[in-house]
């Protein structure tokens, strides 16, 4: 796979697939983090006097009413402020208006095209990687850069479609994500995996893939209780993924030393932040109690194991971190990792949200931005958006 720096983009028409899927409220951008993150690649292209054509999706477009809700024009405005230069917005995703805008571009110009998913209204052309649409968008440029990591696990016309027609490379955001995640392909040892979150079913692929490579898998969160149930323990009203008890039994049997389960737990009687909780030994959960966080002894056990780790990947919070009372041990373990410089990759989704909330996101070795994309990478799946750049 070529790197962006290997591509000749000088004075060329460069199409960049960005992730401008920003949260919006009543037509206003609530958080511009993703726009700011795209600046590095865009500015690099502008320094090379490229003619920059930007594509991105925003939300989902299933019916006519979704069009206005997912209009990308506010992004052009914000991007223009951030780049300190004009960003022309094309209302149309194809046709003469777009083509003449592109034809009139000079080096250093920037165009943002309307939401690529407007094309989904007519037969899901963007999301089903319609061959003709990918070829059409590619015909507008000479080089393609994909910098939208969040959609890299999907084959869409605006990523795979375009890439199959033009010299292509990942942008700096994707390059950084891949460089970090690749360290898990042949990890240094001890390699420790921390898994939390709600359901075992969401993590089966990750467990099956990583259990072979990891030295330890530390399990917390709601999913721990299905493993504990598989060991025959009383878990009271804690979260149970009934269908996967058998899977947990098998994994525990095959890898008894690798899987580390909670030894104590914070329990309460209702799923709320309002009731008091108590810490209990894992063998003492009553039938009317539910575990909403790991306990202090478990956290200390996890710290002890992490202390010797050479690399760690963590997916899913260890408790109901949305409730003030049950985010404690997730936060404390994050703090331990940061303070002890333990090389840790946060694997997208809720654990990154928890780290952001607690102020640790910028302090860990790498916090991956792609929820679904990162999870599929950890499951060992090939990502079509990456394959298409090769
Ligand atoms: P996931 O998307 O699979 O990473 O799951 C994240 C969710 O798991 C969060 O919304 C947490 O509230 C939830 N979670 C973590 N620990 C528990 C627990 N002990 N009981 C119920 N839900 C939990």
């Amino acid at each position: 796979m070529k790197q962006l720096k290997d591509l000749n983009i000088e004075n060329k028409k460069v199409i960049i697939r960005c992730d401008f899927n920003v949260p919006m409220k009543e037509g206003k951008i609530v958080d511009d983090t993703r726009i700011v993150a795209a600046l590095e690649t865009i500015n690099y292209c502008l320094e090379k006097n490229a003619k920059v054509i930007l594509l991105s999706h925003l939300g989902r477009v299933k019916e006519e009413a979704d069009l206005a809700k997912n209009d990308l024009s506010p992004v052009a405005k914000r991007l223009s402020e951030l780049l300190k230069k004009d960003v022309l917005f094309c209302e149309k995703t194809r046709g003469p208006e777009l083509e003449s805008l592109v034809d009139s571009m000079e080096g250093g110009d920037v165009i943002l095209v309307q939401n690529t998913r407007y094309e989904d209204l007519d037969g899901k052309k963007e999301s089903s990687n319609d061959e003709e649409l990918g070829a059409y968008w590619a015909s507008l440029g000479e080089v393609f850069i994909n910098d939208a990591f969040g959609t890299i696990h999907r084959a869409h016309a605006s990523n795979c479609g375009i890439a199959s027609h033009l010299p292509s490379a990942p942008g700096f955001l994707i390059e950084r994500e891949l460089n970090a995640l690749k360290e898990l392909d042949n990890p240094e040892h001890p390699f420790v995996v921390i898994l939390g979150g709600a359901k075992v079913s969401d993590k089966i692929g990750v467990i099956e893939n990583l259990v072979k490579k990891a030295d330890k898998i530390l399990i917390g969160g709601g999913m721990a209780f299905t493993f504990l149930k598989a060991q025959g323990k009383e878990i009271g009203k804690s979260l149970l993924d009934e269908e996967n008890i058998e899977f947990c039994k098998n994994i525990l049997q095959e890898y008894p030393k690798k899987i580390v389960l909670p030894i104590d737990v914070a329990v309460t009687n209702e799923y709320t932040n309002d009731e008091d909780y108590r810490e209990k030994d894992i063998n003492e959960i009553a039938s009317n109690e539910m575990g909403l966080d790991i306990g202090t002894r478990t956290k200390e056990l996890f710290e002890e194991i992490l202390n010797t780790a050479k690399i760690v990947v963590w997916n899913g919070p260890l408790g109901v971190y949305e409730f003030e009372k049950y985010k404690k041990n997730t936060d404390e373990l994050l703090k331990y990792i940061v303070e002890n410089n333990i090389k840790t990759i946060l694997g997208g989704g809720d654990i990154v949200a928890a780290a952001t909330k607690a102020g640790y996101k910028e302090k860990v070795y790498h916090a991956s931005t792609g929820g679904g994309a990162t999870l599929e990478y950890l499951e060992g799946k090939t990502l079509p958006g990456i394959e298409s750049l090769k």
Side-chain angles (χ1 to χ4, degrees):
M1 186 163 55
K2 283 215 167 90
Q3 304 290 294
L4 173 47
K5 295 213 161 142
D6 302 332
L7 286 183
N8 176 13
I9 58 167
E10 208 104 18
N11 307 312
K12 295 245 164 86
K13 285 185 204 147
V14 177
I15 301 172
I16 311 177
R17 173 57 161 101
C18 297
D19 181 1
F20 291 145
N21 187 29
V22 289
M24 305 274 265
K25 206 171 180 190
E26 286 153 16
K28 293 220 162 56
I29 298 164
V30 180
D31 177 356
D32 69 358
T33 308
R34 286 183 168 163
I35 307 176
V36 173
L39 296 178
E40 189 185 357
T41 298
I42 298 172
N43 276 323
Y44 174 80
C45 296
L46 291 176
E47 280 160 24
K48 303 275 178 198
N49 204 41
K51 301 161 189 169
V52 175
I53 303 158
L54 304 173
L55 292 175
S56 174
H57 78 280
L58 175 64
R60 289 222 168 98
V61 177
K62 287 189 179 150
E63 51 187 37
E64 201 83 23
D66 295 330
L67 293 175
K69 274 190 269 175
N70 294 301
D71 172 20
L72 203 56
S73 63
V75 171
K77 219 169 132 219
R78 181 67 191 127
L79 186 62
S80 166
E81 290 163 4
L82 290 164
L83 289 172
K84 299 189 180 64
K85 69 187 301 157
D86 284 344
V87 173
L88 290 177
F89 182 70
C90 183
E91 301 273 355
K92 298 271 173 357
T93 48
R94 66 164 97 195
E97 190 185 322
L98 174 60
E99 289 151 31
S100 71
L101 260 182
V102 169
D103 283 343
S104 63
M105 285 180 94
E106 292 185 3
D109 283 350
V110 183
I111 288 178
L112 174 64
V113 180
Q114 182 58 280
N115 183 356
T116 54
R117 287 196 183 158
Y118 272 35
E119 290 284 346
D120 277 352
L121 204 53
D122 176 20
K124 284 193 149 286
K125 288 203 163 67
E126 153 72 329
S127 297
S128 66
N129 190 12
D130 177 75
E131 168 59 31
E132 183 255 325
L133 180 59
Y136 171 74
W137 277 333
S139 75
L140 301 173
E142 296 164 275
V143 176
F144 177 60
I145 298 167
N146 189 355
D147 216 12
F149 186 69
T151 51
I152 207 81
H153 58 312
R154 302 274 178 260
H156 290 167
S158 66
N159 58 11
C160 296
I162 302 177
S164 59
H165 295 278
L166 291 177
S168 307
F172 295 127
L173 281 177
I174 290 194
E175 202 177 298
R176 256 199 304 280
E177 289 280 4
L178 289 182
N179 285 344
L181 290 171
K182 262 194 259 169
E183 293 196 50
L184 304 173
D185 293 349
N186 295 299
E188 292 177 82
H189 290 277
F191 169 37
V192 178
V193 179
I194 311 174
L195 289 179
K199 292 196 226 136
V200 178
S201 57
D202 294 341
K203 309 285 157 83
I204 285 180
V206 179
I207 296 171
E208 283 178 335
N209 184 39
L210 293 185
V211 77
K212 296 171 222 144
K213 296 185 199 169
D215 297 281
K216 294 278 180 202
I217 298 193
L218 317 181
I219 297 184
M223 63 181 280
F225 295 99
T226 305
F227 280 89
L228 293 162
K229 181 83 178 176
Q231 283 184 328
K233 294 205 194 306
E234 168 69 78
I235 61 162
K237 296 193 290 178
S238 306
L239 208 61
L240 175 66
D241 195 347
E242 192 100 43
E243 282 176 16
N244 288 304
I245 298 176
E246 212 45 43
F247 168 81
C248 295
K249 256 188 204 162
N250 293 338
I251 285 281
L252 286 168
Q253 213 160 38
E254 204 172 337
Y255 302 96
K257 293 220 169 94
K258 277 195 189 183
I259 308 286
V260 182
L261 296 175
I263 51 175
D264 63 345
V265 64
V267 296
T268 184
N269 298 95
E270 297 298 329
Y271 185 80
T272 157
N273 190 46
D274 301 332
E275 299 239 328
D276 286 338
Y277 72 88
R278 50 236 163 240
E279 286 201 359
K280 279 197 159 180
D281 185 275
I282 210 65
N283 295 308
E284 290 170 359
I285 302 175
S287 60
N288 62 348
E289 291 175 328
M290 64 180 77
L292 295 186
D293 194 5
I294 56 169
T296 309
R297 283 197 294 125
T298 304
K299 189 206 66 174
E300 286 166 1
L301 171 68
F302 286 5
E303 285 174 352
E304 211 175 289
I305 295 167
L306 289 169
N307 210 14
T308 60
K310 282 277 184 338
I311 189 158
V312 178
V313 62
W314 183 350
N315 184 282
L318 302 178
V320 182
Y321 78 102
E322 297 92 336
F323 294 160
E324 200 58 31
K325 281 184 181 135
Y326 306 110
K327 71 186 180 78
K328 183 169 152 272
N329 289 303
T330 297
D331 284 1
E332 285 187 13
L333 210 63
L334 280 166
K335 184 167 177 242
Y336 184 84
I337 279 167
V338 166
E339 284 182 350
N340 292 284
N341 269 321
I342 299 167
K343 189 178 189 181
T344 301
I345 295 172
L346 302 183
D350 283 47
I351 190 59
V352 175
T356 306
K357 215 162 134 187
Y360 296 119
K361 182 179 164 236
E362 308 303 329
K363 296 181 181 152
V364 291
Y365 176 69
H366 182 74
S368 185
T369 55
T374 311
L375 209 60
E376 291 202 13
Y377 191 98
L378 298 179
E379 287 171 5
K381 291 186 181 158
T382 49
L383 307 177
I386 297 296
E387 294 305 301
S388 69
L389 296 174
K390 285 181 182 167

